[in-house]
Amino acid sequence: MGLNDGRVVLITGAGGGIGREHALAFAATGAKIVVNDLGAHFDGSGQATNSPAQDVVSEIKKMGGDAVANGESVSDYKGAKRIIECALDNFGKLNIVVNNAGATKRADFADLTEADWTDGFALKFFGAVRLTRAAWPHLKTNSGSILNISGIGGRTPGAQFTIGGSVNAALCCFTKAMADAGIRDGVQVNAVNPGTIRTDRYQKRLVAFAKERNIDVAAAERHFVEDGEITRIGEPDDIANLVAFIVSPEG
């Protein structure tokens, strides 16, 4: 028996990085997964093909798990509702939503445009709001859970993370408000604030930093560790395993 046997989990931004690890961790604990990622492309029959989301689905099925790919966007409420419908159509219920999708531009404040700010809030913050609205009635029925991945930048933003820090802080406040509503409605709502995690985005930052300082990548990573006052760079499954536990009955 797994921690999440038979439960249906919807994860946004699950085609790579931390989101992919969420999907694999939940599958390993017995859950059925809706792998949502904007990289998904669909054929005439509506099936996802040659996409990061479908690749994750294939990995899960090789593990003996059950999953479906979804390429809808949470950029509007209709898209959010269609993502929920995908879970219901394929698995008949929805127990857990992990709002993981969204990235923001890193730059000095003076270099950020109006569009950068709009884009930064559009997907990660408002996407989580829309999906929460669409999922809430179904989660109430199943005493379900919402887990928001907001990032430590919401508490400790740097000069290059003006948008990201603001978005993550807003998502943390939204989490607290919905957690209070969840007490009334029987829905568990939490946020996890990852620090520096070894993803493709981190690797690009690391390489750029190394070139800027004219040092090798190993030295650049040591700088990140020392500057962050941490013992090591986090791995995606550090976060994913924690998330899968938090929303399980034991969590």
Side-chain angles (χ1 to χ4, degrees):
M1 294 287 289
L3 284 174
N4 292 294
D5 270 349
R7 306 175 89 197
V8 176
V9 184
L10 164 59
I11 306 165
T12 62
I18 296 174
R20 171 183 173 275
E21 295 299 327
H22 288 327
L24 298 178
F26 272 110
T29 62
K32 301 176 181 180
I33 317 296
V34 178
V35 181
N36 170 263
D37 193 274
L38 287 180
H41 302 287
F42 292 83
D43 61 22
S45 66
Q47 296 298 309
T49 58
N50 300 320
S51 69
Q54 190 58 50
D55 290 343
V56 175
V57 169
S58 296
E59 287 186 73
I60 290 171
K61 290 187 174 180
K62 286 179 182 177
M63 295 164 52
D66 196 358
V68 62
N70 176 274
E72 296 285 352
S73 172
V74 290
S75 59
D76 60 55
Y77 185 60
K78 289 181 180 178
K81 287 184 68 176
R82 286 193 294 268
I83 299 171
I84 302 302
E85 288 165 3
C86 175
L88 300 177
D89 290 346
N90 283 275
F91 301 123
K93 63 178 180 178
L94 178 63
N95 301 101
I96 300 162
V97 172
V98 179
N99 286 309
N100 172 75
T104 56
K105 184 174 180 178
R106 299 181 70 92
D108 286 333
F109 175 71
D111 297 328
L112 295 169
T113 66
E114 190 78 11
D116 292 332
W117 281 93
T118 299
D119 291 345
F121 273 89
L123 181 57
K124 186 160 190 177
F125 179 72
F126 286 113
V129 170
R130 294 184 189 103
L131 200 58
T132 297
R133 284 177 58 205
W136 197 262
H138 306 285
L139 298 176
K140 283 174 62 176
T141 299
N142 294 312
S143 298
S145 300
I146 292 177
L147 196 296
N148 297 321
I149 305 298
S150 62
I152 197 65
R155 300 176 63 187
T156 57
Q160 294 284 313
F161 207 56
T162 319
I163 296 177
S166 300
V167 169
N168 287 325
L171 189 53
C172 282
C173 289
F174 176 67
T175 300
K176 177 61 172 68
M178 293 311 300
D180 285 354
I183 294 170
R184 176 196 66 212
D185 291 347
V187 179
Q188 177 191 25
V189 186
N190 294 102
V192 169
N193 306 137
T196 305
I197 305 297
R198 196 181 303 283
T199 62
D200 289 341
R201 287 174 61 200
Y202 163 74
Q203 196 62 34
K204 289 175 183 177
R205 281 182 59 205
L206 188 65
V207 170
F209 183 85
K211 288 182 179 179
E212 178 186 311
R213 297 294 180 91
N214 195 29
I215 57 178
D216 62 30
V217 172
E221 178 151 304
R222 286 195 296 273
H223 174 88
F224 276 37
V225 169
E226 292 167 4
D227 189 57
E229 297 182 339
I230 53 180
T231 57
R232 64 175 174 85
I233 301 301
E235 300 295 340
D237 61 359
D238 292 334
I239 308 303
N241 291 331
L242 173 64
V243 167
F245 173 75
I246 286 174
V247 300
S248 74
E250 284 80 356

